[in-house]
């Protein structure tokens, strides 16, 4: 487990229906965060600089005029960078045996645009499962479990108290708090995975392949 680099993953969307769209996709490693933002045609000046002034670990940000352009660049990043390293993709309620959000949503949007699944060679771990079964916590949300077991640092960074605020922020063009929220989520996810690896055995983690049959 620990010999595989953890790449934490999280998305933001315009809602929860099949015809809703991706607005942000973020990945986090120990070195930096990589964030893709769908802005439509709205011009942005100095957004990346403002984010990097506020966040300790660097954020590499790219802006995209459409969801399809975001997905194309995402696929290129995953296949040319992530799948070329000994890495595992990790999310919090991204995909579990009884549900999850991020990966099912992403499959639907890739399918809608006729794009291939890019994560084929990456193993995947949902860290929520570990904290539900191997830690005694009173919370089950990402921010709640993080604060109980690690502290408040990344919760203090997050400008939102509820992830539903990300929908309104994108519609209002409030991209800086939207991205900051996403970065807080991916960094909380990676911090929890590192914590779990310190206290749990390999058998406590359910690692699955993301490679499709066809």
């Amino acid at each position: 487990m620990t010999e595989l680099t953890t790449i934490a993953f999280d998305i933001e969307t315009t809602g929860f229906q099949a015809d809703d769209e991706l607005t942000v996709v973020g990945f986090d490693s120990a070195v930096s965060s990589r964030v893709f933002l769908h802005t439509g045609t709205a011009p942005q000046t100095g957004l990346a600089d403002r984010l990097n002034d506020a966040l300790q670990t660097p954020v590499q940000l790219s802006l995209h005029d459409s969801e399809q352009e975001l997905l194309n660049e995402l696929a290129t990043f995953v296949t040319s960078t992530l799948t070329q390293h000994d890495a595992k993709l990790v999310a919090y309620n991204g995909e579990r045996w009884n549900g999850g959000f991020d990966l099912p949503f992403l499959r639907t949007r890739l399918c809608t645009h006729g794009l291939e699944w890019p994560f084929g060679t990456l193993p995947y771990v949902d860290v929520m499962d570990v904290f539900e079964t191997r830690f005694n916590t009173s919370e089950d949300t990402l921010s709640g479990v993080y604060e109980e077991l690690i502290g408040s640092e990344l919760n203090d960074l997050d400008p939102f108290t509820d992830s539903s605020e990300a929908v309104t922020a994108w519609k209002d063009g409030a991209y800086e708090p939207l991205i900051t929220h996403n970065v807080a989520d991916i960094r909380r996810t990676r911090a929890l995975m590192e914590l779990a690896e310190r206290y749990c055995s390999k058998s406590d983690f359910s690692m699955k392949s993301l490679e499709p049959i066809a």
Side-chain angles (χ1 to χ4, degrees), residues 1 6 8-9 88-96 124-135 140-142 145 149 185-186 188-197 200 204-207:
M1 289 287 299
T6 294
F9 165 72
K88 60 183 180 292
L89 193 68
V90 175
Y92 192 94
N93 197 32
E95 180 161 277
R96 309 166 72 208
Y124 170 75
V125 176
D126 201 299
V127 73
M128 184 178 185
D129 289 331
V130 180
F131 286 94
E132 280 196 337
T133 60
R134 295 296 181 262
F135 288 83
D140 63 0
T141 63
L142 174 60
V145 172
L149 296 177
D185 272 354
I186 54 181
R188 283 184 288 225
T189 299
R190 188 170 60 81
L192 285 176
M193 185 64 189
E194 291 177 350
L195 178 69
E197 288 182 325
C200 299
D204 292 329
F205 295 87
S206 179
M207 181 177 285

Side-chain angles (χ1 to χ4, degrees), residues 38-141:
H38 168 204
T39 63
T41 56
Q44 299 296 314
T45 303
L47 178 58
D49 290 337
R50 293 195 301 274
L51 285 165
N52 279 294
D53 285 343
L55 301 170
Q56 292 182 345
T57 307
V59 175
Q60 183 183 353
L61 174 68
S62 58
L63 308 179
H64 306 283
D65 292 342
S66 67
E67 183 189 47
Q68 180 154 8
E69 181 185 304
L70 183 157
L71 288 168
N72 284 329
E73 291 301 315
L74 165 69
T76 299
F77 169 73
V78 171
T79 56
S80 67
T81 303
L82 296 190
T83 60
Q84 304 304 311
H85 296 85
D86 292 329
K88 60 183 180 292
L89 193 68
V90 175
Y92 192 94
N93 197 32
E95 180 161 277
R96 309 166 72 208
W97 70 269
N98 60 346
F101 176 68
D102 303 78
L103 292 179
F105 192 99
L106 186 56
R107 281 192 187 90
T108 297
R109 300 315 300 163
L110 288 163
C111 179
T112 298
H113 291 287
L115 299 173
E116 296 297 320
W117 181 246
F119 296 108
T121 62
L122 285 172
Y124 170 75
V125 176
D126 201 299
V127 73
M128 184 178 185
D129 289 331
V130 180
F131 286 94
E132 280 196 337
T133 60
R134 295 296 181 262
F135 288 83
N136 182 22
T137 63
S138 58
E139 298 286 339
D140 63 0
T141 63

Side-chain angles (χ1 to χ4, degrees), residues 47 50-51 54 159 173-181:
L47 178 58
R50 293 195 301 274
L51 285 165
Y175 298 131
E176 191 169 343
L178 173 63
I179 296 169
T180 303
H181 166 70

